[in-house]
Amino acid sequence: MTTIEAGVVASFDDARGYGTVSRSGDGTELFLHCTAIADGTRTIGVGQRVRFVTVAGHLGRLEARAVEKV
């Protein structure tokens, strides 16, 4: 079962297309790639509140996927 989590975009580099999302609650930062943004845009603002699912990504690190702006 997939759990939807809440958080805030902690960093995002438009030129590189990636950043991090800080989980609400424990503050863990997860990798965010521009292709994980659900609405198809390739950018998102720092401080934007989001909902997402956590998945195991490349090299075993956790990543935010299906990221939706709140």
Side-chain angles (χ1 to χ4, degrees):
M1 182 172 184
T2 304
T3 302
I4 298 174
E5 300 186 61
V8 176
V9 176
S11 67
F12 195 81
D13 185 323
D14 288 332
R16 294 184 178 185
Y18 62 82
T20 59
V21 172
S22 178
R23 278 182 176 156
S24 293
D26 67 4
T28 303
E29 289 197 1
L30 305 170
F31 180 77
L32 165 64
H33 192 266
C34 65
T35 58
I37 302 170
D39 66 7
T41 61
R42 297 289 186 177
T43 187
I44 194 164
V46 173
Q48 173 70 53
R49 293 180 59 211
V50 293
R51 290 185 303 209
F52 59 92
V53 295
T54 302
V55 299
H58 296 18
L59 305 175
R61 67 180 172 184
L62 294 177
E63 297 182 5
R65 293 275 174 93
V67 178
E68 297 178 350
K69 299 172 187 174
V70 177

